[in-house]
Amino acid sequence: MAGLRSVLSGRSVAGQVFLLHVVIVLLLVVAAVVALVLQVRHDTTREARLRSLAVAETFASAPGTREALTAPDPTAVLQPRAEATRRLAQVDFVVVMNTDGIRYTHPKPDRIGGTFVGTIAPALAGRPVTEEITGTIGRLVQAVVPIRDPDGKVVGLVSAGITTEHVGGAANQQLPLVLSAAAAALALATGGAGLVSRRLLRQTHGLGPHEMTRMYEHHDAVLHAVREGVIILDDGGTLLLANDEAHRLLGLPADAEGRHVLDLGLDPGTAELLASGRVATDEVHLVGDRLLAINQRPTDRAGGPPGSVATLRDSTELRALSGRAETARERLNMLYDAGVGIGTSLDVTRTAEELTELAVPRFADFCTVDLFEAVLGGGQPDGAAALRRTALGGIRKDAPLYPVGEQIRFVASSPQGRSLADGRPVLEPRLGDAPGWRAQDFERAGQVVEYGIHSLITVPLRAGALVLGVVSFWRADQPEPFDADELALAEELVARAAVSIDNARRYTREHSMAVTLQRSLLPRTLPEQGALEIAFRYLPAQAGVGGDWFDVLPLSGARVALVVGDVVGHGLHAAATMGRLRTAVHNFTALDLPPDELITLLDELVGRIDQDEAEEGATAPVTGATCLYAVYDPVSRRCTVARAGHPPPALIRPDGRVEFPDVPAGPPLGLGGLPFETAELELEEGSRLVLYTDGLVEDRERDIDVGLELLREALSRAGESPEDTCRAVLEARRPARASDDIALIVARTRALTADQVAEWPVPSDPAAVAEVRAAVTRQLAQWGLDELAFTTELILSELVTNAIRYGSGPIHVRVLRDRNLICEVFDSSSTSPHLRYAAMTDEGGRGLFLVAQLAERWGTRYVPAGKVIWAEQPLP
């Protein structure tokens, strides 16, 4: 009861809070009731306007209303309708009038024939009007709308009205309920305020504002007068309070209160301790040039708010001890940084440079790394060979040390020579007093000493039993010489770096082997052919050797095959698989197969490779290899293309338009069971066909569709020659660090003109052979190739005779004058002739043997209508 009286008295803080809370709730209740009344009035008027306007417009548009105006007695027709509408729509009146405002209808019949009370001018002008008036039945809202004839002329008016009290009755009935709810809310709020004030009364011990202010002033004076820093933080690490001494010791900004302790610029160790809230007793931290002993305790042990309070005491006399601790911590940090910062790449030189970057200036003023020549190339180190300065780091660039790239042979008496011979580190605290070191290079040694370098540690780079080189740490600006502790630290640093350098050496060796293998498997020069002008580029990935390849393969009939492929993955396995696939394409091309059939055979080969490797379990399968194979015929100017999971080719028309022809994609090689389709493209002479691998258009940062669009833009700006096209594409599309190989072929088409092709149909009659020989002789004479007339007659005689004897018609002969003279005999038979040796008693069998001796190359290819026997002779 005493507490309640104290609350109600208003003298205490709790009582004032209670009274203020009740007043605020009461004001909110009154405001809510007033707002409800105003809202009800607004909604009532709005509903009355809408209902009266809707009733008036509905009645004016109702069938028969306009016609009733012209009746002999409009009232007799309209009065019943108006009253029925009024009752149905729950309005107070529906009045129909003429354009002079004379009523035809009214709820009170005695007012029919009188003048309408209200505004009708806007309605006579064709616009509905709604107004609020106070009539004999009270405050009402009425609407007046026009009645129009078919020509749009206003012939009458309709007015509907309703009193607002009829509309807002339901809302007024809710007012007692609202008031009851407000009273209940007031009671609940008063009870809640009482509970809050009761708790506040207990926490403030019944003190009034004056007493609390005086107590705060006393506490504040004591807090800031003590010579010990005090910091209070909440459970989230936000600084709530810091006294003057804490500001001085920690160097806190003026606006520190309210900010997180991690954002105040404190050293990481002190900030972490304060933010964690953990218990600490006399924990020493170096803050600037002071040593602070920090004690920290939680504030919620005795029921207080969550958080922590810390006291800070200046303990500068412990500085020497803290300095040694800081040195030890710095060395541990350096060893940690060496573990994560050395060996980030598999490059020997870069790994050596990372060691020098770490050591300078944290450990030494200058650092040099000297490795055996063989190590740089990935080979085994030779202790008798010279070393090469691989990396040099220092606080300045003008030190008189051997520069990077210098070949060095250390004498046995030098510190480096002793380290290499014994495999142990050597400490020379005073270089000026070390005669064995001066024997290495007397003149340079004098320059080094004059420069100010006075102390040296050399450590051999050991990887198991191998010594890869030697690391030297030089000190100049720091006056203290290296000591035994620093010698141990240097040995640990170099040991960690030696592992990374040896890994880089091994990778360099394997990478060199893979690159050598890959280069031996890729074409070094392009074969001679006249159908295409070709330029190509091959860019290996920086991450390792890949499996991209390309080829240009001359075919019979002056045709040329282009192929690009990609084996997923990198390394020796991908390069070896690429070589197998490229060899297979060479072999399959010799069969002169259509592109889809050749890719089908390649798909079966990859499937068998996968199966064999899966059974052995040694390596992962190579499923995912892709290929694109195209054959261009300069006679018909048609190019047949098929692809297996490979990006589509690009085509640059002679007018500069860039297209990506629709070539059926097909599945990647190795899946098996799915057919491959071909697309036939007709290429104008001078068109450029662009084949490439996915490394050119796809990477981790963008989708292949974006890459294709960027390639289109690069091709549209390229020059006309294939070389210019290759250069423009790579300048625009080559990434800074390629993650995948890039193979690119640009082929500009040429066509054989009509004067380079001669064709003759051949009847199935042995007598026609003589006519063929005569026609060929005449054609060769026109071409100026009389020297080839005799051999060409013999070749065609044998081929045509075989076609007549063993083949079937129709038969025709075609002769092409390209880089070679090509003779072709077509027939509809699918049987292929074979070269054999005829016995002495055989009457035939020597024709193909004769053809093989006279021609440079000969063979058979199959076409949909039969086969072609061809032979090539070099032009004189």
Side-chain angles (χ1 to χ4, degrees):
M1 292 297 295
L4 181 60
R5 285 195 300 271
S6 177
V7 169
L8 296 178
S9 67
R11 289 193 299 269
S12 66
V13 174
Q16 294 180 5
V17 170
F18 172 76
L19 294 178
L20 181 61
H21 196 168
V22 171
V23 171
I24 291 175
V25 172
L26 184 60
L27 291 177
L28 290 176
V29 170
V30 173
V33 173
V34 172
L36 177 63
V37 172
L38 295 178
Q39 184 65 36
V40 167
R41 179 172 298 178
H42 174 269
D43 293 345
T44 298
T45 303
R46 183 173 180 272
E47 182 179 352
R49 283 175 172 272
L50 294 176
R51 189 188 300 181
S52 60
L53 182 62
V55 172
E57 288 182 342
T58 301
F59 193 88
S61 303
T65 300
R66 178 175 53 79
E67 290 80 0
L69 295 176
T70 59
D73 188 1
T75 300
V77 178
L78 295 174
Q79 177 69 8
R81 296 183 183 178
E83 288 301 299
T85 301
R86 179 181 64 81
R87 289 189 294 271
L88 183 62
Q90 297 182 356
V91 296
D92 288 308
F93 64 84
V94 176
V95 174
V96 183
M97 65 197 87
N98 61 14
T99 56
D100 296 326
I102 305 302
R103 302 190 189 96
Y104 290 143
T105 67
H106 197 277
K108 296 180 179 181
D110 59 340
R111 297 188 180 184
I112 296 175
T115 304
F116 176 75
V117 178
T119 303
I120 65 174
L124 292 175
R127 301 189 306 276
V129 59
T130 304
E131 60 183 348
E132 298 182 31
I133 64 173
T134 300
T136 58
I137 60 176
R139 182 171 172 271
L140 59 85
V141 176
Q142 66 181 11
V144 181
V145 299
I147 302 173
R148 302 174 184 273
D149 63 4
D151 297 332
K153 181 181 179 182
V154 178
V155 297
L157 305 173
V158 176
S159 175
I162 182 172
T163 58
T164 55
E165 65 178 6
H166 289 167
V167 179
N172 293 331
Q173 294 173 4
Q174 297 176 0
L175 188 59
L177 179 60
V178 173
L179 293 175
S180 300
L186 179 61
L188 290 175
T190 303
L195 293 176
V196 172
S197 299
R198 182 179 178 184
R199 180 174 178 83
L200 183 61
L201 179 67
R202 184 169 63 251
Q203 292 181 344
T204 59
H205 304 285
L207 296 176
H210 177 69
E211 290 85 355
M212 291 190 67
T213 301
R214 185 175 60 184
M215 182 180 67
Y216 172 77
E217 290 174 349
H218 290 170
H219 288 184
D220 190 58
V222 173
L223 181 66
H224 292 288
V226 296
R227 300 307 299 168
E228 193 171 78
V230 179
I231 286 181
I232 301 177
L233 302 100
D234 64 10
D235 57 344
T238 300
L239 180 63
L240 301 179
L241 183 144
N243 67 351
D244 293 342
E245 184 68 5
H247 274 268
R248 185 182 70 85
L249 294 176
L250 295 177
L252 297 176
D255 60 344
E257 282 81 0
R259 295 170 58 184
H260 198 279
V261 69
L262 296 178
D263 299 331
L264 298 179
L266 303 178
D267 72 283
T270 305
E272 185 275 330
L273 170 61
L274 297 177
S276 67
R278 61 181 173 86
V279 175
T281 301
D282 288 336
E283 190 170 311
V284 178
H285 287 258
L286 179 63
V287 179
D289 58 349
R290 296 185 179 89
L291 284 175
L292 300 183
I294 301 177
N295 291 273
Q296 184 166 259
R297 296 291 185 274
T299 58
D300 55 357
R301 286 185 172 180
S308 62
V309 58
T311 61
L312 315 172
R313 186 173 69 256
D314 193 350
S315 301
T316 309
E317 66 274 6
L318 300 176
R319 180 176 301 175
L321 176 61
S322 176
R324 291 194 293 270
E326 180 65 21
T327 300
R329 185 172 67 175
E330 173 61 24
R331 292 178 179 179
L332 289 176
N333 289 339
M334 189 182 304
L335 292 176
Y336 171 78
D337 293 342
V340 298
I342 299 176
T344 59
S345 67
L346 292 173
D347 181 81
V348 175
T349 301
R350 179 57 193 153
T351 305
E353 291 172 350
E354 289 171 346
L355 173 58
T356 63
E357 292 169 0
L358 176 72
V360 177
R362 296 171 65 179
F363 180 68
D365 296 323
F366 298 93
C367 178
T368 59
V369 180
D370 305 309
L371 300 176
F372 288 106
E373 290 278 3
V375 173
L376 297 174
Q380 293 278 1
D382 181 4
L387 291 90
R388 187 170 296 278
R389 177 136 299 173
T390 308
L392 167 62
I395 57 176
R396 293 183 292 274
K397 301 295 184 182
D398 57 346
L401 300 172
Y402 288 119
V404 173
E406 183 83 8
Q407 192 177 56
I408 308 170
R409 287 185 178 272
F410 290 107
V411 298
S413 62
S414 66
Q416 292 86 353
R418 284 182 284 159
S419 293
L420 293 172
D422 301 339
R424 295 181 179 181
V426 174
L427 170 62
E428 290 288 356
R430 295 174 179 82
L431 279 178
D433 301 334
W437 171 69
R438 289 179 175 271
Q440 172 68 36
D441 188 335
F442 188 82
E443 181 180 355
R444 187 178 293 273
Q447 295 173 355
V448 169
V449 173
E450 290 177 4
Y451 186 79
I453 298 177
H454 60 82
S455 189
L456 168 67
I457 291 177
T458 62
V459 184
L461 271 163
R462 296 178 57 91
L466 298 178
V467 177
L468 309 176
V470 64
V471 180
S472 302
F473 301 97
W474 314 78
R475 179 164 287 177
D477 286 11
Q478 301 180 45
E480 300 84 5
F482 287 117
D483 56 24
D485 291 339
E486 290 171 320
L487 177 65
L489 175 60
E491 190 173 7
E492 182 67 23
L493 281 175
V494 174
R496 299 194 179 198
V499 175
S500 299
I501 291 178
D502 189 52
N503 289 338
R505 176 187 68 85
R506 295 172 183 270
Y507 172 78
T508 301
R509 180 182 60 192
E510 294 182 1
H511 182 73
S512 299
M513 294 171 56
V515 169
T516 302
L517 174 62
Q518 184 189 40
R519 288 178 178 174
S520 66
L521 295 175
L522 288 173
R524 300 181 181 179
T525 59
L526 296 181
E528 295 183 358
Q529 47 81 33
L532 298 170
E533 180 187 353
I534 296 176
F536 68 92
R537 296 289 189 278
Y538 183 85
L539 303 178
Q542 294 196 4
V545 175
D548 292 14
W549 93 93
F550 64 93
D551 247 323
V552 178
L553 305 170
L555 302 177
S556 63
R559 297 172 304 133
V560 178
L562 302 175
V563 58
V564 290
D566 184 6
V567 176
V568 175
H570 296 87
L572 284 173
H573 183 265
T577 304
M578 175 268 288
R580 298 169 72 177
L581 296 183
R582 180 170 177 252
T583 302
V585 170
H586 272 264
N587 294 334
F588 295 152
T589 303
L591 301 176
D592 230 330
L593 299 174
D596 55 337
E597 295 182 18
L598 185 142
I599 289 184
T600 299
L601 293 178
L602 205 60
D603 177 62
E604 295 176 358
L605 173 62
V606 174
R608 288 196 299 272
I609 294 175
D610 285 354
Q611 183 177 1
D612 294 343
E613 293 184 348
E615 290 176 356
E616 294 177 2
T619 56
V622 296
T623 302
T626 64
C627 181
L628 185 146
Y629 187 81
V631 176
Y632 173 69
D633 187 348
V635 178
S636 63
R637 292 184 291 103
R638 292 184 177 274
C639 183
T640 306
V641 187
R643 62 188 178 116
H646 203 82
L651 179 62
I652 308 175
R653 297 289 184 180
D655 58 3
R657 289 182 296 114
V658 180
E659 304 173 3
F660 289 96
D662 185 13
V663 179
L669 298 174
L671 296 184
L674 297 174
F676 297 95
E677 302 179 58
T678 61
E680 193 170 83
L681 313 176
E682 185 169 351
L683 308 180
E684 303 93 334
E685 187 173 6
S687 300
R688 282 167 286 168
L689 189 64
V690 182
L691 309 183
Y692 53 90
T693 54
D694 58 357
L696 186 67
V697 295
E698 188 176 17
D699 57 32
R700 297 176 182 177
E701 299 178 358
R702 57 176 170 261
D703 189 69
I704 189 172
D705 292 334
V706 178
L708 290 175
E709 189 60 33
L710 294 175
L711 176 61
R712 181 196 301 272
E713 295 177 3
L715 293 175
S716 64
R717 300 190 301 267
E720 294 185 359
S721 71
E723 279 292 336
D724 292 341
T725 305
C726 284
R727 188 180 306 108
V729 169
L730 291 183
E731 288 177 355
R733 299 290 304 121
R734 183 179 183 180
R737 292 185 60 87
S739 59
D740 195 6
D741 295 12
I742 297 176
L744 173 66
I745 301 179
V746 179
R748 183 164 63 181
T749 61
R750 297 167 177 163
L752 293 183
T753 58
D755 62 347
Q756 293 178 278
V757 182
E759 293 186 86
W760 302 278
V762 180
S764 296
D765 183 2
V769 176
E771 299 177 3
V772 170
R773 288 200 302 265
V776 167
T777 301
R778 289 192 298 271
Q779 185 62 54
L780 293 179
Q782 294 179 8
W783 287 342
L785 300 177
D786 298 284
E787 298 179 19
L788 299 179
F790 178 72
T791 55
T792 304
E793 288 182 8
L794 290 178
I795 291 172
L796 284 179
S797 295
E798 294 298 333
L799 296 183
V800 172
T801 300
N802 283 344
I804 295 173
R805 180 177 299 178
Y806 304 109
S808 57
I811 303 171
H812 67 278
V813 172
R814 185 173 71 173
V815 179
L816 307 176
R817 179 174 60 85
D818 190 28
R819 299 177 65 89
N820 297 318
L821 183 65
I822 305 170
C823 301
E824 297 178 333
V825 177
F826 297 77
D827 70 79
S828 59
S829 172
S830 60
T831 59
S832 177
H834 297 282
L835 182 67
R836 64 186 181 89
Y837 288 99
M840 295 294 296
T841 57
D842 290 341
E843 296 183 359
R846 300 175 178 82
L848 285 180
F849 183 80
L850 180 61
V851 171
Q853 297 301 313
L854 297 176
E856 186 178 53
R857 292 195 312 155
W858 75 281
T860 305
R861 75 170 182 269
Y862 292 94
V863 294
K867 69 174 184 297
V868 180
I869 310 296
W870 56 271
E872 291 184 3
Q873 302 176 76
L875 296 179

